Amino acid sequence: MKKKLFIFSNELVSTQDGKFYCDNIDLKSTPEGLNKKFDVNFFARKSKKKGIHEIKIKKITVFNNLLSYITSAVAAAKVEDSKYLIISISPYTFIISIFLKILGKKPIVYLRSDGYGEYRSILGKIGPVIYHIMFTIIAIISNLISCREYILRGKKGKIVSPSQLDSIWLRQSKNLEIKNFKLLYVGKIKIEKGIYSLTNIIKNKRDISLSIVGAEKEASYNLNQSNVKIFPAQNNKLKLIKNYDDHNIFILPSFTEGNPMVLLEALARRRPVVVFEEIKHIIGDKKGIFISKRNFLSFLATLNNIKKNYKRIQKDMKKNKLITNKEFIDKFIKIIDDLK
């Protein structure tokens, strides 16, 4: 019989016709992968807006308020021989962690991104202070798993490498040459993702176009530029791969990132990637990623360098060792299994 694994997330999940949907692909694939080994019970906050990814596990519960969330966590804590995984630190999941600890359970907290940077971009100077308080307490009462060593800030924890890649992503990609710069960004359209900063940099630049794949249904964005096109978030793998293949450079303009899945996707399709200095830590030993300052002159120089050396860069990118989703899930399962 499978051991029960209760997963708590701050992410929003919608329901429709008895099915559950989310916008974050990691929130779909990770519980589904863990469900192969464990009897997963997944708890999340309720969203009125339908997500694009269906979460294909049977035991999902969504909540309208914190009180009902806490009540379910208390009930879960009474189940013998179970494990408790909390995805990311937020006020919701922080409170759930406290209750689990009070009830004699040691939660496993999975850190997918740098909360200090995220809270700063959203709340300003007070943001990192708030996150630091939650993180310090969580580090004492929990087992930590992180997608990057630096996110642990010197605390003890295990490291995993999230990925959505499979054999389809790793197929031979379409070869392109650069005439004009056809940039692609895949992700949420939010201030902290740096997309507004990027569109300001390329404003009125005729030889630079940007495609944004990640618009939410019925949402409006103040991005009225002739060289910027916005497309809905994509849940079809083959269509998403075509998005990468139809562009010659991928841009990740975020102010903060942990282990972005889109970076691996771009590298799998051998599209050079441009990031800004704030997230240069994500490069590691990967080939084909270039750093720019957040201004037009530096950005243009980076693009021209890529254009001049495009074929050589793509050849070097073939040397990248890219983790697959199966490898990620297998390691995640082993870590959870081993933790007491």
Side-chain angles (χ1 to χ4, degrees), residues 192-203:
E192 62 267 28
K193 292 299 183 180
I195 197 64
Y196 293 97
S197 168
L198 172 63
T199 55
N200 282 333
I201 289 173
I202 65 170
K203 193 170 184 178

Side-chain angles (χ1 to χ4, degrees), residues 101-148:
K101 181 61 178 177
I102 290 172
L103 294 169
K105 306 297 181 179
K106 189 169 186 178
I108 303 165
V109 178
Y110 173 35
L111 304 174
R112 299 184 302 168
S113 60
D114 177 18
Y116 286 93
E118 288 187 349
Y119 272 66
R120 180 183 294 109
S121 64
I122 298 171
L123 299 176
K125 293 182 179 179
I126 191 64
V129 177
I130 295 172
Y131 182 80
H132 180 73
I133 294 170
M134 294 191 294
F135 174 75
T136 302
I137 295 172
I138 287 291
I140 295 172
I141 67 174
S142 311
N143 290 306
L144 298 180
I145 300 175
S146 175
C147 64
R148 293 277 179 173

